[in-house]
Amino acid sequence: MSGMDITIHYAFLPHTDPEAALAFYRDILGFEIRKDVGYEDMRWITVGPVGQPGTSIVLHPPAVDPGITEEERRTILELIAKGTYAGITLATDDLDGLFKRLEAAGADVVQEPIDQDYGVRDCAFRDPAGNLIRINQLA
């Protein structure tokens, strides 16, 4: 296939506390809120980098599918808390500056900026739900 333009429009990450998720993604990372939709006691919050309207992250309530059991729901929440359920990799032209900002804001540091053997300089954090957020230095 040629001539086809495919982009990533939405990525999904679970949140366990919508206000904590907003504080992290909006207030610390500087993402803008694109949508904030509630239903009963659940919220779906769409955020994305300023100036990049075609790329968004949907922060969603986890384990709300009516087809899963209570045991499955508990397992999902345990995996999220461990940071092994979901993650995303972001990129910036100022990795050290962003790391300092996240660290100063009290974000959960997993890895300080380092030059990896495979050619990437990156760092890692966990968001308030426990999702692994890796951040790469743009070349």
Side-chain angles (χ1 to χ4, degrees):
M1 293 181 147
S2 63
M4 186 178 293
D5 185 14
I6 299 174
T7 62
I8 297 173
H9 191 60
Y10 294 114
F12 288 78
L13 290 176
H15 72 73
T16 53
D17 178 339
E19 294 306 319
L22 280 171
F24 182 80
Y25 288 94
R26 179 192 60 207
D27 302 339
I28 298 173
L29 284 178
F31 285 3
E32 62 187 7
I33 306 302
R34 306 236 168 100
K35 292 182 185 173
D36 190 341
V37 179
Y39 175 73
E40 295 180 353
D41 62 345
M42 299 174 283
R43 279 172 74 186
W44 287 258
I45 305 165
T46 305
V47 298
V50 174
Q52 297 179 41
T55 304
S56 297
I57 299 171
V58 179
L59 305 167
H60 64 90
V64 296
D65 186 317
I68 63 174
T69 67
E70 281 304 315
E71 183 179 344
E72 291 168 330
R73 187 169 283 111
R74 277 192 305 278
T75 300
I76 289 168
L77 293 172
E78 289 170 3
L79 291 171
I80 291 169
K82 285 177 65 175
T84 57
Y85 186 75
I88 195 164
T89 301
L90 307 174
T92 181
D93 60 358
D94 183 9
L95 182 66
D96 294 311
L98 181 54
F99 176 84
K100 288 176 186 171
R101 187 169 85 205
L102 286 161
E103 185 178 41
D108 182 12
V109 176
V110 174
Q111 172 204 305
E112 294 187 5
I114 187 172
D115 293 317
Q116 302 287 0
D117 292 340
Y118 46 87
V120 172
R121 180 171 174 75
D122 70 354
C123 67
F125 291 86
R126 293 200 199 286
D127 75 1
N131 299 306
L132 183 63
I133 310 297
R134 296 199 75 78
I135 306 170
N136 290 356
Q137 172 69 49
L138 291 171

